[in-house]
Amino acid sequence: MNAFAALADDTRMEIVRLVAKNGELTSTEIGQNFKISAPAISHHLKILKESKVLYMKKDAQRRVYSLNGAQVSEMEEWLASIIDLWHKRLDKLDKYVMKIKKERSSGKK
């Protein structure tokens, strides 16, 4: 599953937000923030780990999760490229609208 698909779920988005805010959290600490079962949290964490949005390291019996900055940066770059494409399209539309307005105002004189 790709990172965007993983983040399409509200619970997973909130998990990522929590981990980003706190730096590192154990699966237990993450689970304490939700009213869903531990197996459900584990399933969400597995998806986030497989999609490389979160890192997981084992510390004795604990699983500690942190944000994968490289994956987030890759997502950010993709979003920035889409935003740039839309800005270019909107700039072209703006120029076209201004041209039409100018033509209309010239024709009325």
Side-chain angles (χ1 to χ4, degrees), residues 42-53:
S42 293
H43 176 72
H44 287 301
L45 290 170
K46 178 182 176 188
I47 290 170
L48 290 167
K49 188 180 109 189
E50 288 175 354
S51 64
K52 299 178 183 167
V53 174

Side-chain angles (χ1 to χ4, degrees), residues 67-85:
L67 196 61
N68 178 352
Q71 182 71 325
V72 172
S73 291
E74 187 177 314
M75 293 169 63
E76 182 181 25
E77 288 172 19
W78 183 86
L79 286 169
S81 72
I82 297 300
I83 290 167
D84 185 52
L85 288 172

Side-chain angles (χ1 to χ4, degrees), residues 16-89:
V16 170
R17 193 172 293 128
L18 279 169
V19 172
K21 180 181 175 185
N22 292 284
E24 287 187 340
L25 288 173
T26 65
S27 53
T28 302
E29 291 168 330
I30 292 167
Q32 291 170 347
N33 290 277
F34 298 91
K35 294 180 180 180
I36 58 177
S37 68
I41 290 293
S42 293
H43 176 72
H44 287 301
L45 290 170
K46 178 182 176 188
I47 290 170
L48 290 167
K49 188 180 109 189
E50 288 175 354
S51 64
K52 299 178 183 167
V53 174
L54 295 181
Y55 284 128
M56 187 272 294
K57 67 179 179 183
K58 290 184 181 180
D59 181 22
Q61 298 297 328
R62 303 175 338 142
R63 287 180 164 75
V64 181
Y65 291 87
S66 60
L67 196 61
N68 178 352
Q71 182 71 325
V72 172
S73 291
E74 187 177 314
M75 293 169 63
E76 182 181 25
E77 288 172 19
W78 183 86
L79 286 169
S81 72
I82 297 300
I83 290 167
D84 185 52
L85 288 172
W86 272 98
H87 283 178
K88 288 176 182 174
R89 291 186 74 187

